Amino acid sequence: MQCSWKSVVLLALASIAIQYTAIRTFSAKPFSLLCSQAPGPALETSGPAVNCGLGALPGPGQETPEGFDRGCDELLSASSSTLSLPSYNDSRRTHVLILATTRSGSSFLGQLFNQHPEVFYLFEPLYHVQSALLPRLAQSRNPAERRVMLGAARDLLRSLYHCHLNSLESYIRPRPTQHSTDKLFRRGASRALCSPPVCEASLGPVERGLVLGDEGECVRRCGALNVSLAAEVCRDKRHAAIKTVRIPHVGDLRALVEDPRLNLKVVQLVRDPRGILASRIETFRDTYRLWRLWRATGHRPYNLDLGQINTVCEDFLSSVSTGLARPAWLRGKYMLLRYEDLARSPLQRARELYNFLGLSLDHSVEEWILNNTRGSSELSSRQKYGTIRNSAANAENWRQKLSFDMVMYTQTFCQPLLELLGYKTVSHAGELRNLSYSLVEDRTFLPSL
Ligand SMILES: *[C@@H]1O[C@H](CO)[C@@H](O)[C@H](O)[C@H]1NC(C)=O
Ligand SMILES: *[C@@H]1O[C@H](CO)[C@@H](O)[C@H](O)[C@H]1NC(C)=O
Ligand SMILES: *[C@@H]1O[C@H](CO)[C@@H](O)[C@H](O)[C@H]1NC(C)=O
Ligand SMILES: *[C@@H]1O[C@H](CO)[C@@H](O)[C@H](O)[C@H]1NC(C)=O
């Protein structure tokens, strides 16, 4: 049998699809269990009859390699729509998705929700989808692979917003036993998962996330996470917010945005790609090793992976263009936020944000902002994902960290994006290093109503 690279790719895709279907089928089990037993308080008080029927999922045999590429999205969305979720009345619930990329300031933005006592906040649950389905294809640009990932991601997001945290269990490795796991990614970043009743251990203000400090303390002292208990807490909160860096384009969310039961609002966080690059070079030292080499030697390594920053600009450009074009399906549901604006006037931006979402800004959020944006703190440099620092100064400090060559290089292929978002390009090193000259134009991006 002839084994061309095409058939290898097709086989790989087919196996991913089978894996995904298998996970979907397994995750259906805790579902019916959940429903046949006593429903949670939110279900009881406000829900009409709960339909737990599971529609037919496509069997592995139905997904031939030939048909897969073309029809996988339809297949996946079909499988999710036949999966009936309890239809309790949560139209008053607002669900927020923070769409971001790594090192764009999303930890900071996430805190504006995490600190709200009535918001259930999850930090990057899609990490588990990616590591279960595509462990080595983290940056995959293959359209078919991306669609598999995104189909699974959408399914999971829908379940999580409905507080079916059990759906997450099937992606966690090792598989949780008896709805208990100590492997939830970045549990410590979610305040609800580190406070009573989910965690009864007494934690200081740092560990409770009042001041963002050592996440590990929550993990160490709270013990394994009781997923069922976390789901109850989720149902008791009025709103839910999820942050992700694993969805590249707002268009990938259309099925969720259009779902009237979900009341989903998307906040897309963007940042100057030059700032993202500088921050990633500092943070992901292995992956961005060649960029450091460039900075140190002044010579661009021939095998530098340009996709590492190209992808950011392409994804931002296409997603933001869609958002700003104000298509009818996104009306009132999309807001663009520049990290630099958030860093410069966090309180004002938080008010605009909450106003857009139709939620009231709790005083604890305001207090958190005041506590965490005033100057540097001894906690700041300790943590990779820390948010405690002088946010305004931090937003443009990439200008002292990248070489002029690197900046010029990034500018050439990110030009359309820089223009769209109102970031000025520089043409000489003096301009780059002169911090009293801001590269962030004043722009207002009003959400479409
Ligand atoms: C859900 O609740 C809202 C607000 O209380 C109400 O306006 C709406 O009619 C309810 N929807 C259903 C389907 O019961
Ligand atoms: C987890 O929480 C649920 C719901 O409160 C409870 O019934 C169950 O016993 C707990 N499981 C463990 C292992 O503590
Ligand atoms: C803000 O800081 C004060 C004083 O350190 C502390 O008591 C309070 O709990 C903090 N509040 C928040 C929301 O971080
Ligand atoms: C830095 O920029 C400011 C504001 O544009 C300008 O007034 C100043 O002359 C610049 N300084 C230098 C050294 O170029």
Side-chain angles (χ1 to χ4, degrees):
M1 177 186 144
Q2 201 190 3
C3 194
S4 69
W5 67 271
K6 275 186 187 167
S7 51
V8 171
V9 168
L10 286 173
L11 273 171
L13 285 173
S15 84
I16 290 169
I18 290 166
Q19 210 181 346
Y20 171 63
T21 312
I23 286 176
R24 217 63 205 92
T25 313
F26 287 136
S27 66
K29 299 230 169 76
F31 244 86
S32 37
L33 216 74
L34 182 86
C35 297
S36 60
Q37 289 168 355
L43 300 176
E44 241 163 30
T45 51
S46 48
V50 173
N51 176 7
C52 289
L54 276 168
L57 289 164
Q62 290 163 258
E63 288 151 341
T64 58
E66 300 79 48
F68 185 72
D69 195 355
R70 184 173 32 84
C72 105
D73 215 11
E74 290 88 315
L75 256 175
L76 291 171
S77 54
S79 78
S80 68
S81 61
T82 49
L83 189 77
S84 308
L85 297 166
S87 48
Y88 60 91
N89 185 355
D90 59 356
S91 59
R92 288 158 298 130
R93 257 175 94 96
T94 297
H95 295 129
V96 182
L97 188 68
I98 301 173
L99 207 57
T101 188
T102 47
R103 311 311 296 167
S104 62
S106 59
S107 298
F108 186 89
L109 180 55
Q111 286 296 328
L112 301 189
F113 297 103
N114 196 28
Q115 296 303 323
H116 197 296
E118 277 305 316
V119 175
F120 185 80
Y121 175 69
L122 285 177
F123 184 104
E124 207 57 56
L126 299 183
Y127 165 87
H128 293 290
V129 176
Q130 187 169 50
S131 55
L133 290 182
L134 301 173
R136 280 174 299 167
L137 300 169
Q139 303 293 319
S140 180
R141 302 293 291 165
N142 178 310
E145 285 162 0
R146 268 172 87 139
R147 260 181 294 160
V148 172
M149 246 294 292
L150 291 168
R154 275 194 297 266
D155 270 7
L156 182 63
L157 285 174
R158 194 193 303 267
S159 299
L160 293 178
Y161 282 124
H162 285 103
C163 296
H164 298 143
L165 304 193
N166 302 57
S167 310
L168 190 54
E169 290 180 30
S170 42
Y171 294 105
I172 297 177
R173 300 288 177 275
R175 274 294 287 269
T177 47
Q178 298 181 327
H179 307 301
S180 169
T181 181
D182 57 1
K183 290 284 180 287
L184 181 70
F185 181 64
R186 303 289 307 279
R187 171 196 179 171
S190 176
R191 207 180 144 189
L193 302 183
C194 298
S195 7
V198 179
C199 172
E200 296 290 357
S202 62
L203 300 172
V206 171
E207 291 78 33
R208 268 182 290 140
L210 285 174
V211 184
L212 199 96
D214 186 5
E215 280 183 25
E217 191 64 18
C218 164
V219 176
R220 277 191 296 278
R221 293 173 62 175
C222 295
L225 175 70
N226 182 338
V227 180
S228 315
L229 192 52
E232 277 175 22
V233 168
C234 170
R235 283 192 288 266
D236 285 345
K237 302 268 183 191
R238 298 231 14 218
H239 312 287
I242 297 178
K243 185 219 90 163
T244 185
V245 297
R246 287 177 168 77
I247 297 206
H249 193 291
V250 65
D252 296 322
L253 295 167
R254 180 160 179 176
L256 298 184
V257 171
E258 287 183 326
D259 181 344
R261 282 187 311 174
L262 210 50
N263 190 23
L264 181 70
K265 301 201 175 186
V266 181
V267 180
Q268 175 149 35
L269 179 69
V270 293
R271 182 182 181 183
D272 190 322
R274 297 165 294 185
I276 290 175
L277 178 63
S279 181
R280 287 184 178 180
I281 291 172
E282 301 293 325
T283 312
F284 309 123
R285 298 181 71 81
D286 286 343
T287 324
Y288 283 76
R289 189 175 45 85
L290 292 174
W291 292 87
R292 279 191 291 130
L293 192 65
W294 181 3
R295 191 175 55 189
T297 61
H299 298 289
R300 175 159 59 92
Y302 73 96
N303 53 347
L304 187 75
D305 181 5
L306 297 173
Q308 287 176 322
I309 192 66
N310 257 334
T311 310
V312 172
C313 291
E314 282 169 17
D315 286 346
F316 270 176
L317 184 63
S318 81
S319 184
V320 171
S321 304
T322 299
L324 295 183
R326 303 172 174 232
W329 62 274
L330 266 184
R331 196 161 296 149
K333 299 189 169 270
Y334 177 86
M335 178 171 171
L336 179 68
L337 186 59
R338 294 188 304 185
Y339 171 63
E340 292 80 2
D341 294 326
L342 183 63
R344 200 182 286 165
S345 30
L347 211 47
Q348 186 195 332
R349 299 301 160 183
R351 289 193 183 116
E352 288 167 6
L353 185 60
Y354 270 84
N355 194 32
F356 158 70
L357 296 169
L359 308 184
S360 56
L361 180 62
D362 192 87
H363 70 88
S364 60
V365 177
E366 294 178 305
E367 201 182 300
W368 184 88
I369 292 172
L370 292 174
N371 276 4
N372 290 283
T373 55
R374 283 182 301 213
S376 55
S377 149
E378 70 277 11
L379 284 168
S380 63
S381 52
R382 225 171 60 191
Q383 245 206 336
K384 181 150 88 170
Y385 297 93
T387 57
I388 304 170
R389 51 197 142 189
N390 189 333
S391 51
N394 186 58
E396 284 203 66
N397 73 359
W398 61 268
R399 296 168 64 179
Q400 289 163 322
K401 293 184 172 165
L402 295 181
S403 71
F404 180 64
D405 281 352
M406 292 161 91
V407 172
M408 290 305 282
Y409 200 73
T410 310
Q411 284 180 177
T412 48
F413 49 71
C414 291
Q415 178 64 40
L417 177 73
L418 294 172
E419 210 161 289
L420 182 67
L421 295 178
Y423 299 124
K424 295 179 213 164
T425 54
V426 294
S427 50
H428 56 85
E431 214 175 4
L432 174 66
R433 309 284 184 221
N434 181 355
L435 292 182
S436 40
Y437 164 75
S438 175
L439 296 181
V440 183
E441 282 172 20
D442 288 333
R443 288 271 180 98
T444 315
F445 299 98
L446 293 175
S448 59
L449 295 174

